[in-house]
Amino acid sequence: MILHMLLDYDTLRVIWWLLLGVLLLAFAVTDGFDLGTGTLLPFVAKTDLERRVVINSVGPVWEGNQVWLVLGGGAIFAAWPQLYAVSFSGFYLAMAAVLLALIIRPVAFKYRSKREEARWRNTWDWGLFVGGFVPSLIFGVAMGNVLQGVPFRFTPDMQIFYEGTFFGLLNPFALLAGLVSMAMLIMHGATWLVLKTDGPVASRSRTWGIRAALATVILYALAGALLWSFVDGYRITSAINTVGPSNPLFKTVESGVAGMWFANYAAHPWTQLAPAAGIVGALLTVMALVRRWEGVAMLTSSLSIAGIVLSVGASMFPFILPSSIQPQASLTVWDSSSSHLTLFIMLVATCIFLPLIIAYTSWVYKVLWGKVNPSDISGGKTHAY
């Protein structure tokens, strides 16, 4: 028996769809509070010392948290090559903006405290704000466009053509999705600062966290209502071959199906736990912040993010990236993956290295746990940004 035949092709496709969701979720929960912290920096920290406290709250972990973004991009490239080709070419300018913001962020971390001039430090502080705000917004805008369908098509010989524009991505529903993303990450960053700081910074962060959590509930509920009322879904109308070749053109798809993105919730009621977690988690975060339950607020904020992210995947399955101009070309779990052997080899590698990454990351958090003390920063007793 050939080793990779131990797992069926359709099983491997679902496993890698789940793994992709896990990697994106890990990025949203871990690097999400980094992005939220950067976005909050100008608003929760008024003095230079307070800003250094905020920066040092994420200083030991922000680089490690970005590993999940790299792993997610690598998984898309290796496991879902057609998804990688379409999304990274179609969203090229948007991805470039995100990349530029993510480049500014580490430079700002490293250079911000190299000089004591107020203008120098203020400039890099706003760089940290841009490095948190821009990715938070654009990632949500991207999800909003995915739910509506992306204007790409395949030729019979599988050449990809993207017929959209950068400004076409900035449509009302996508911008609303961007606001949902930004609100939930600000909520998450605020709960992190409440957990890691004391005094005025923690007090201001608590206020912003409550506002952001309430905004998350309102905006997410509004996005769901608009998705039901105005955003049509997609439906496969031909027989589904779960072990067939990775060629999207071998199926037929109907677009413009009202309420189709909610069909999975009706067919599989347990999937309703995802959007429920998104709303309940945010409401519990408000309660935890009001009652000053710092650790609980961090957990409930993570629960809300998990629910919101997972609700997108649950509603769209088996679609991964619908096409708004050639529905037949829409990418699904069953026709856009790598080969059976490739998915198996990657799964073996993941089973070896993913636990190591989790173990190392957990060890780093354990060693560097505790609140950031302003006296240590001002007194120069410890290394600080």
Side-chain angles (χ1 to χ4, degrees):
M1 176 185 293
I2 300 176
L3 191 60
H4 73 277
M5 298 303 292
L6 292 173
L7 286 173
D8 296 333
Y9 196 13
D10 55 342
T11 302
L12 279 170
R13 282 170 160 168
V14 173
I15 288 174
W16 270 103
W17 177 76
L18 293 172
L19 281 175
L20 179 59
V22 168
L23 295 176
L24 295 179
L25 182 57
F27 169 71
V29 170
T30 57
D31 207 39
F33 67 74
D34 292 350
L35 299 176
T37 298
T39 305
L40 284 170
L41 178 62
F43 308 103
V44 300
K46 302 303 182 181
T47 67
D48 181 70
L49 180 58
E50 288 178 353
R51 292 183 179 183
R52 292 187 70 188
V53 168
V54 171
I55 293 169
N56 278 274
S57 71
V58 296
V61 296
W62 69 269
E63 290 177 289
N65 291 341
Q66 290 194 141
V67 168
W68 299 106
L69 178 62
V70 176
L71 290 175
I76 293 174
F77 174 78
W80 309 99
Q82 293 174 341
L83 174 62
Y84 181 89
V86 174
S87 59
F88 278 75
S89 59
F91 297 154
Y92 183 81
L93 291 178
M95 293 293 183
V98 170
L99 182 60
L100 179 61
L102 293 179
I103 290 173
I104 291 174
R105 188 169 67 146
V107 176
F109 272 116
K110 300 300 183 183
Y111 280 87
R112 191 261 180 202
S113 295
K114 296 296 184 182
R115 296 171 60 182
E116 295 185 0
E117 289 86 345
R119 184 176 180 181
W120 171 271
R121 292 189 171 187
N122 287 337
T123 299
W124 290 118
D125 288 341
W126 283 106
L128 288 170
F129 168 79
V130 170
F133 173 83
V134 171
S136 299
L137 179 65
I138 291 182
F139 286 142
V141 169
M143 286 296 100
N145 279 282
V146 168
L147 284 166
Q148 296 175 95
V150 178
F152 71 92
R153 61 183 176 86
F154 285 107
T155 63
D157 58 354
M158 296 303 294
Q159 292 186 61
I160 301 171
F161 288 90
Y162 179 82
E163 299 186 0
T165 64
F166 174 76
F167 292 104
L169 300 175
L170 305 179
N171 56 77
F173 181 79
L175 289 173
L176 175 60
L179 292 177
V180 173
S181 172
M182 191 169 61
M184 75 177 187
L185 295 185
I186 289 175
M187 170 187 68
H188 202 42
T191 60
W192 174 258
L193 289 175
V194 169
L195 183 67
K196 293 288 288 183
T197 66
D198 282 317
V201 172
S203 178
R204 297 186 196 111
S205 299
R206 183 174 292 106
T207 300
W208 277 99
I210 293 171
R211 293 171 180 170
L214 292 174
T216 299
V217 173
I218 295 170
L219 292 171
Y220 182 54
L222 178 60
L226 294 180
L227 187 66
W228 171 267
S229 303
F230 299 105
V231 179
D232 295 330
Y234 294 72
R235 176 171 57 199
I236 299 175
T237 55
S238 59
I240 299 176
N241 184 2
T242 60
V243 295
S246 291
N247 188 330
L249 300 181
F250 285 175
K251 67 178 180 306
T252 58
V253 174
E254 180 185 4
S255 62
V257 184
M260 190 60 203
W261 287 149
F262 291 81
N264 283 341
Y265 295 131
H268 308 285
W270 60 269
T271 59
Q272 298 174 23
L273 292 173
I279 293 177
V280 173
L283 293 175
L284 290 176
T285 300
V286 174
M287 183 183 72
L289 289 173
V290 170
R291 293 179 175 270
R292 301 178 183 271
W293 297 339
E294 301 171 354
V296 173
M298 190 69 190
L299 293 175
T300 55
S301 177
S302 300
L303 174 65
S304 179
I305 290 177
I308 292 172
V309 172
L310 292 176
S311 67
V312 177
S315 64
M316 291 183 61
F317 185 86
F319 288 93
I320 299 178
L321 188 64
S323 170
S324 59
I325 60 174
Q326 187 186 14
Q328 182 185 15
S330 298
L331 305 181
T332 74
V333 172
W334 312 121
D335 58 20
S336 58
S337 71
S338 293
S339 67
H340 191 170
L341 179 59
T342 300
L343 294 182
F344 182 80
I345 293 174
M346 288 176 56
L347 181 61
V348 172
T350 300
C351 290
I352 295 172
F353 291 106
L354 188 59
L356 295 177
I357 294 172
I358 294 174
Y360 173 75
T361 302
S362 301
W363 177 78
V364 169
Y365 275 91
K366 181 179 183 298
V367 170
L368 299 173
W369 196 248
K371 290 184 179 290
V372 179
N373 192 332
S375 62
D376 290 337
I377 296 176
S378 59
K381 298 178 182 178
T382 59
H383 176 75
Y385 285 104

